[in-house]
């Protein structure tokens, strides 16, 4: 590089000198030559012309022209150009005969022309002009050229030198940057020089290494000059073998045995027999990638496959089963009794159970089978088999492994499982379909006494019907297809209507009139019961407000609140909003709850009931005696009414056991100062017996069926007119009065035929 710089410097100086000399001399020389040639030409022209004029004068005045000095001077003074010149006529002896009067600055340029008389040379004409102006301009041009040449010389000489300096500076900066990057690289960089080796194969000799190669990858300065086969115990020797015949860059992954480290080596030729290798320790990256793969394809709690990987494995198993003519069973597990354990012992205990379930299942399936956890307490086993009977054996074996007790937190708990089974290709040909159908079968296996169940088309049909019904229920809410009927409740002593129970009905466009037992269970299971219950509550209170405004006597309206509605919604807030919207007195509102609803969360239930009681709402227990009857919640909860279930009333007059139960319920209620209502009263004998035992109110077909609003208003108006006409009839006692009142209001003295409410 230095030799090239000196050569450029010499060439530049020579070129600049030659160009400067040319710029200095050539312009002035060209100008002087052209000006001198022009002046010479002008002198010759002027001399020829003046010589002819003087010759003509000589011819016309032979021997006399020499004495015509004034005339000759005048003649010589004539000129065609403004340039100064001296014209002089000389005799042959050199004496001046006549001369023009101009003064010229020396040096002079002169031309002499002969004058002839009759062919004889008699005199000479000399014409002279000054060279001073031309020389002055030439000198000025020479000076200007010199200045220009000097400037050009230095410019031509310094610009390349400056470019060389800039190149050197850029090269130095680049080298410094390269060195900085080279030394600060986190990756190890090792430079090798290719030299001829054994068997005509090129060997790689370590030429340089950066600090990262020393600190991270264990290279040493004493390794420089060694063969790549000797460095790091020959760890990178495979790079040399891979470079033989390779075109361009190559990338290798190397594992350092014992240390558990993984390297990536990028090798690429650099020209001039140099090879660079970029080393990166990817051990942590590999671990992170494996962790991400576990998160993407494996369940983080149990280490089993997740849904995404399960679907992929099922695709592979389906392909294998199709090729080999086998069947494939998809067993969908759902743990029984897991949620109560999770709620009571905590999520940590639940996680321990899930881990143990995964361990037991993993130890029970074959290596070629697939085991996965979908989430929560749901597991899936996929197995190939020859016949469906094998699926039964697999399910029974897995259940045996799962049923032994689990020890969690020093306690022994029991967890069972329900299994749904779908078979490929009978129940589906895609993973999604097989999982869905196994899930359907699993829900059917939840029935008492069933541990596992195979999928059938009837299950799918029932599920579709259930899904369709659920959709229709939501649409019924939006289209306002629900309506209320009201069944009166009468005073057991007077027969007066003291309350009505609001009963929801559904008028479906497709199915017609639908009774509650057909859609209420599904509404509770899907959560539709919450908006439906709020609609019933607000509608019933609104109607009560309208009846009171129309002049009806005050009476209670009883609204059934399901367990789902009570636990999921903010019932107190809804009651307050209803009272604010309708203006009804909450003392006329009675909420009926089931026993199973009360015992789910005793503390929360008590809190809600006392808040409702604070709003002056009456609380009643519906279907008392059929659930988890307990004197404890009767004592601790603010209960106002007990409604004896119709199952005990149906045979109360015929069966002693039923009479004993009814008498006990009434006795307990009276002892605790609770109001007792008997539902399902269908005969006069039942009404008389219940009244004699101290039952406060009666409800049933013996008195009234559920009535529409218009029919109910007619009954209420008729009762008000009867009371106004016979004020004493309200105090009449005995069953005869109650029977007559019931017969009148109900549209006849005879009891109406039994029909579900």
């Amino acid at each position: 590089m230095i030799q090239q710089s000196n050569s450029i410097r010499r060439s530049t100086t020579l070129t600049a000198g030659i160009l400067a000399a040319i710029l200095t001399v050539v312009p002035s020389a060209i100008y002087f030559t052209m000006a001198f040639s022009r002046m010479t030409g002008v002198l010759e022209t002027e001399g020829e012309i003046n010589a002819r004029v003087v010759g003509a004068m000589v011819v016309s005045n032979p021997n006399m022209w020499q004495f015509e000095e004034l005339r000759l001077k005048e003649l010589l003074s004539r000129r065609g150009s403004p340039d100064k010149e001296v014209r002089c006529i000389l005799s042959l002896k050199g004496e001046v005969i006549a001369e023009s009067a101009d003064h010229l600055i020396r040096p002079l340029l002169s031309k002499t022309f002969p004058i002839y008389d009759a062919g004889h040379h008699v005199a000479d004409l000399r014409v002279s002009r000054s060279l001073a102006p031309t020389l002055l301009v030439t000198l000025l041009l020479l000076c200007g050229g010199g200045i220009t040449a000097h400037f050009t010389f230095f410019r031509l000489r310094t610009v390349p030198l400056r470019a060389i300096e800039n190149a050197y500076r850029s090269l130095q900066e680049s080298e410094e940057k390269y060195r900085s990057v080279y030394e600060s690289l986190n990756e190890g960089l090792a430079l090798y020089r290719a030299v001829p080796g054994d068997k005509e194969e090129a060997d790689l000799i370590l030429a340089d290494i950066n600090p990262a190669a020393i600190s991270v990858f264990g290279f040493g300065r004493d390794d420089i000059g060694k063969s790549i086969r000797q460095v790091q115990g020959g760890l990178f020797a495979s790079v040399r073998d891979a470079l033989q015949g390779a075109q361009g860059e190559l990338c290798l992954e190397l594992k350092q045995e014992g240390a558990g480290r993984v390297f990536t080596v990028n090798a690429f030729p650099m020209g001039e027999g140099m090879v660079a290798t970029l080393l990166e320790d990817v051990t942590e990256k590999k671990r992170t990638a494996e962790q991400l793969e576990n998160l993407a394809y494996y369940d983080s709690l149990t280490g089993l496959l997740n849904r995404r990987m399960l679907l992929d494995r099922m695709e592979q198993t389906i392909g294998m089963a199709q090729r080999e003519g086998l069947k494939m069973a998809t067993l969908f597990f759902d743990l029984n009794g897991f949620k109560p354990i999770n709620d009571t012992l905590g999520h940590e205990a639940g996680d321990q159970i899930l881990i143990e379930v995964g361990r037991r299942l993993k130890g029970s399936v074959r290596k070629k089978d697939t085991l996965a956890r979908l989430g929560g307490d749901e597991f899936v086993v996929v197995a190939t088999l020859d016949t469906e009977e094998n699926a039964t054996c697999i399910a029974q074996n897995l259940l045996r492994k799962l049923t032994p007790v689990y020890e969690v937190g020093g306690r022994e708990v029991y967890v069972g499982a329900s299994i749904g089974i779908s078979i490929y290709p009978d129940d589906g040909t895609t993973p999604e379909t097989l999982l869905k159908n196994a899930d359907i079968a699993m829900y059917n296996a939840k029935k008492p006494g069933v541990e596992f169940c195979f999928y059938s088309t009837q299950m799918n049909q029932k599920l579709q019907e259930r899904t369709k019904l659920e959709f229709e229920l939501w649409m019924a809410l939006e289209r306002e297809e629900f309506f209320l009927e009201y069944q009166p409740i009468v005073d057991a002593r007077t027969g007066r209507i003291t309350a009505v129970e609001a009963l929801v009905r559904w008028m479906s466009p497709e199915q017609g009139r639908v009774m509650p037992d057909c859609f209420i269970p599904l509404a509770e299971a899907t959560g539709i019961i919450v908006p439906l219950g709020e609609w019933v509550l607000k509608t019933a209170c609104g109607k009560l407000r309208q009846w009171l405004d129309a002049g009806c006597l005050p009476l209670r309206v009883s609204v059934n609140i399901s367990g789902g509605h009570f636990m999921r919604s903010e019932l107190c807030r809804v009651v307050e909003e209803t009272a604010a919207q309708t203006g009804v007195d909450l003392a006329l509102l009675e909420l009926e709850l089931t026993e199973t609803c009360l015992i789910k969360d005793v503390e929360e239930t008590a809190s809600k009931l006392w808040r409702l009681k604070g709003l002056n709402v009456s609380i009643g227990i519906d279907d008392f005696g059929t659930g988890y009857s307990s004197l404890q919640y009767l004592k601790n909860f603010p209960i106002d009414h007990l409604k004896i279930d119709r199952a005990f009333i149906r045979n109360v007059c015929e069966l002693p056991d039923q009479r004993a139960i009814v008498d006990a319920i009434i006795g307990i209620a009276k002892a605790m100062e609770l109001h007792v209502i008997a539902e399902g009263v269908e005969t006069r004998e039942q009404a008389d017996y219940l009244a004699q035992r101290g039952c406060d109110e009666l409800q049933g077909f013996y008195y009234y069926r559920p009535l529409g609003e218009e029919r109910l208003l007619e009954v209420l108006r008729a009762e008000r007119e009867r009371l106004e006409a016979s004020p004493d009839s309200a105090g009449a006692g005995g069953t005869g009065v109650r029977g007559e009142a019931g017969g009148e209001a109900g549209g006849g003295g005879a009891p109406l035929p039994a029909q579900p409410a």
Side-chain angles (χ1 to χ4, degrees):
M1 188 68 186
I2 296 176
Q3 294 178 353
Q4 293 178 351
S5 175
N6 292 333
S7 176
I8 293 174
R9 185 178 287 106
R10 287 194 298 269
S11 300
T12 302
T13 303
L14 180 60
T15 303
I18 294 173
L19 185 57
I22 292 174
L23 290 175
T24 302
V25 176
V26 172
S28 58
I30 292 175
Y31 173 77
F32 181 79
T33 301
M34 294 179 63
F36 185 82
S37 298
R38 176 180 175 280
M39 186 179 292
T40 302
V42 171
L43 287 178
E44 288 180 354
T45 303
E46 292 290 338
E48 289 289 341
I49 294 173
N50 284 280
R52 291 192 188 99
V53 172
V54 175
M57 183 178 174
V58 171
V59 172
S60 61
N61 297 300
N63 299 321
M64 293 296 295
W65 59 276
Q66 301 181 31
F67 306 101
E68 294 290 341
E69 183 177 358
L70 294 175
R71 189 176 174 188
L72 287 173
K73 286 184 176 181
E74 181 183 358
L75 180 63
L76 293 174
S77 299
R78 298 175 185 173
R79 57 199 62 184
S81 66
D83 298 333
K84 293 181 179 183
E85 61 185 19
V86 175
R87 299 171 184 172
C88 179
I89 299 176
L90 302 173
S91 65
L92 294 177
K93 296 179 179 181
E95 297 175 351
V96 178
I97 300 174
E99 185 179 17
S100 63
D102 292 342
H103 175 72
L104 298 177
I105 301 175
R106 294 181 182 278
L108 301 177
L109 176 63
S110 300
K111 287 285 186 179
T112 302
F113 302 93
I115 299 175
Y116 296 94
D117 182 10
H120 299 283
H121 182 200
V122 295
D124 292 315
L125 175 63
R126 186 174 63 196
V127 180
S128 302
R129 284 196 176 188
S130 175
L131 284 172
T134 300
L135 293 174
L136 179 61
V137 173
T138 300
L139 181 61
L140 292 174
L141 287 175
L142 189 62
C143 293
I147 295 172
T148 304
H150 181 78
F151 176 77
T152 304
F153 175 80
F154 283 101
R155 288 293 295 174
L156 288 176
R157 190 171 183 274
T158 57
V159 168
L161 294 179
R162 189 172 298 165
I164 293 173
E165 291 177 358
N166 291 337
Y168 273 120
R169 189 180 300 110
S170 299
L171 182 62
Q172 186 177 6
E173 291 176 355
S174 298
E175 185 175 356
E176 291 176 355
K177 290 180 180 178
Y178 165 76
R179 177 58 59 179
S180 175
V181 173
Y182 180 75
E183 294 181 353
S184 62
L185 276 175
N186 292 327
E187 295 83 2
L189 185 61
L191 300 178
Y192 294 90
R193 183 175 63 256
V195 297
D198 300 336
K199 300 179 182 180
E200 299 181 355
E201 292 183 355
D203 194 9
L204 298 179
I205 304 301
L206 185 63
D208 193 14
I209 50 178
N210 70 341
I214 299 174
S215 61
V216 179
F217 299 94
F219 283 81
R221 287 292 176 186
D222 54 348
D223 290 332
I224 296 177
K226 292 182 180 180
S227 169
I228 194 172
R229 292 175 293 181
Q230 299 173 337
V231 176
Q232 294 286 313
L235 175 64
F236 304 105
S238 57
V239 176
R240 169 182 171 273
D241 300 332
L243 283 172
Q244 301 294 335
Q247 299 293 330
E249 181 181 351
L250 61 90
C251 181
L252 299 175
E253 184 175 284
L254 305 176
K255 293 184 179 180
Q256 190 175 24
E257 300 297 337
R261 301 175 70 187
V262 182
F263 302 99
T264 58
V265 182
N266 289 281
F268 44 91
M270 296 182 62
E272 299 181 357
M274 298 296 294
V275 175
T277 59
L278 190 64
L279 312 175
E280 183 179 4
D281 188 348
V282 295
T283 307
E284 289 301 324
K285 288 185 178 179
K286 295 283 286 185
R287 290 175 183 169
T288 303
E290 291 175 359
Q291 291 175 358
L292 291 176
E293 182 179 0
N294 287 334
L295 291 175
Y297 298 111
Y298 294 87
D299 176 53
S300 59
L301 179 64
T302 62
L304 303 178
L305 301 181
N306 61 10
R307 174 182 284 272
R308 181 178 177 182
M309 196 63 177
L310 171 65
L311 294 175
D312 183 69
R313 292 285 180 86
M314 289 182 70
E315 286 280 4
Q316 299 176 18
T317 308
I318 287 173
M320 183 188 68
Q322 187 176 16
R323 290 191 301 270
E324 299 181 6
L326 300 175
K327 291 182 178 291
M328 185 187 81
T330 302
L331 294 85
F332 198 107
F333 288 74
D334 183 82
L335 302 182
N336 298 329
F338 176 74
K339 188 177 184 304
I341 295 173
N342 211 22
D343 293 340
T344 56
L345 299 182
H347 291 283
E348 184 177 353
D351 290 345
Q352 292 180 14
I353 290 177
L354 292 175
I355 294 172
E356 177 62 18
V357 168
R359 188 189 65 79
R360 292 185 183 184
L361 289 175
K362 193 171 183 179
S364 304
V365 299
R366 300 170 298 181
K367 290 185 178 180
K368 64 179 181 179
D369 296 338
T370 300
L371 172 62
R373 178 189 174 214
L374 298 187
D377 58 344
E378 295 178 342
F379 296 82
V380 172
V381 172
V382 177
T384 55
L385 38 87
D386 298 327
T387 62
E388 293 187 12
E389 288 75 13
N390 293 344
T392 301
C393 296
I394 294 174
Q396 291 173 342
N397 178 55
L398 293 175
L399 286 172
R400 283 195 300 270
K401 295 292 185 179
L402 291 179
T403 50
V405 296
Y406 297 78
E407 291 187 3
V408 179
R411 296 178 58 181
E412 292 185 349
V413 296
Y414 173 82
V415 176
S418 298
I419 305 178
I421 307 173
S422 62
I423 304 296
Y424 168 86
D426 303 337
D427 302 328
T429 57
T430 63
E432 293 80 3
T433 303
L434 291 169
L435 278 177
K436 181 193 72 173
N437 292 340
D439 192 8
I440 295 173
M442 184 272 295
Y443 277 105
N444 202 52
K446 291 285 186 181
K447 295 179 180 179
V450 181
E451 291 182 329
F452 62 90
C453 179
F454 284 86
Y455 171 79
S456 65
T457 54
Q458 290 79 8
M459 294 181 190
N460 191 26
Q461 183 177 358
K462 289 181 180 179
L463 179 63
Q464 291 179 356
E465 292 175 355
R466 173 189 171 95
T467 304
K468 180 182 178 182
L469 181 60
E470 179 182 353
F471 174 75
E472 291 177 350
L473 281 176
W474 283 111
M475 296 303 296
L477 271 176
E478 294 183 6
R479 294 194 292 251
E480 298 182 354
E481 296 174 1
F482 292 104
F483 64 97
L484 295 181
E485 288 186 340
Y486 307 90
Q487 186 173 25
I489 301 173
V490 302
D491 187 288
R493 294 174 300 169
T494 64
R496 281 188 51 198
I497 298 176
T498 56
V500 292
E501 181 180 1
L503 303 172
V504 64
R505 301 290 187 261
W506 177 21
M507 183 58 71
S508 170
E510 296 181 0
Q511 306 178 50
R513 182 186 178 93
V514 183
M515 299 304 288
D517 55 350
C518 297
F519 63 86
I520 289 297
L522 179 60
E524 289 185 339
T526 58
I528 303 176
I529 194 65
V530 175
L532 178 59
E534 292 180 1
W535 177 85
V536 171
L537 178 63
K538 293 180 179 180
T539 303
C541 291
K543 294 298 182 180
L544 177 60
R545 180 72 267 172
Q546 294 177 12
W547 302 339
L548 296 177
D549 293 341
C552 293
L553 296 176
L555 74 164
R556 299 191 327 273
V557 62
S558 178
V559 177
N560 290 286
I561 302 297
S562 72
H565 187 188
F566 182 78
M567 299 304 297
R568 297 180 198 174
S569 68
E570 298 179 7
L571 188 58
C572 296
R573 177 185 56 80
V574 175
V575 170
E576 290 176 343
E577 291 178 356
T578 301
Q581 294 172 4
T582 61
V584 72
D585 184 1
L586 291 180
L588 299 177
L589 175 63
E590 178 182 1
L591 301 181
E592 291 188 8
L593 304 171
T594 60
E595 294 176 90
T596 54
C597 167
L598 298 178
I599 66 169
K600 287 186 177 180
D601 189 335
V602 176
E603 293 183 2
E604 184 178 357
T605 300
S607 175
K608 286 187 176 183
L609 292 179
W610 282 109
R611 286 183 59 191
L612 289 170
K613 196 61 181 176
L615 299 176
N616 205 21
V617 175
S618 298
I619 307 296
I621 303 299
D622 193 16
D623 300 333
F624 185 81
T626 59
Y628 302 92
S629 302
S630 172
L631 300 180
Q632 185 67 27
Y633 68 76
L634 292 179
K635 174 183 175 182
N636 296 333
F637 295 160
I639 306 299
D640 298 300
H641 308 280
L642 285 184
K643 181 177 283 189
I644 305 174
D645 187 70
R646 68 179 67 248
F648 301 111
I649 305 300
R650 184 178 301 114
N651 298 315
V652 69
C653 296
E654 292 82 10
L655 300 178
D657 293 342
Q658 299 287 11
R659 288 198 299 270
I661 293 174
V662 171
D663 291 347
I665 293 175
I666 296 175
I668 292 172
K670 292 302 180 180
M672 302 184 72
E673 299 181 352
L674 297 178
H675 196 79
V676 182
I677 305 172
E679 63 176 349
V681 179
E682 298 179 357
T683 65
R684 187 184 190 96
E685 290 76 13
Q686 293 171 353
D688 292 342
Y689 178 81
L690 293 169
Q692 292 172 4
R693 291 298 184 270
C695 194
D696 298 294
E697 292 180 335
L698 305 175
Q699 177 184 7
F701 290 172
Y702 174 70
Y703 295 101
Y704 299 99
R705 293 175 178 272
L707 306 174
E709 182 183 4
E710 294 182 0
R711 176 60 180 151
L712 176 65
L713 290 177
E714 293 177 1
V715 171
L716 294 178
R717 292 192 192 99
E719 181 171 274
R720 185 188 62 184
E721 293 173 357
R722 180 175 58 80
L723 292 175
E724 291 175 352
S726 305
D728 295 337
S729 64
T735 58
V737 175
R738 287 193 296 275
E740 293 173 1
E744 263 188 326
L752 298 173
Q755 177 179 331

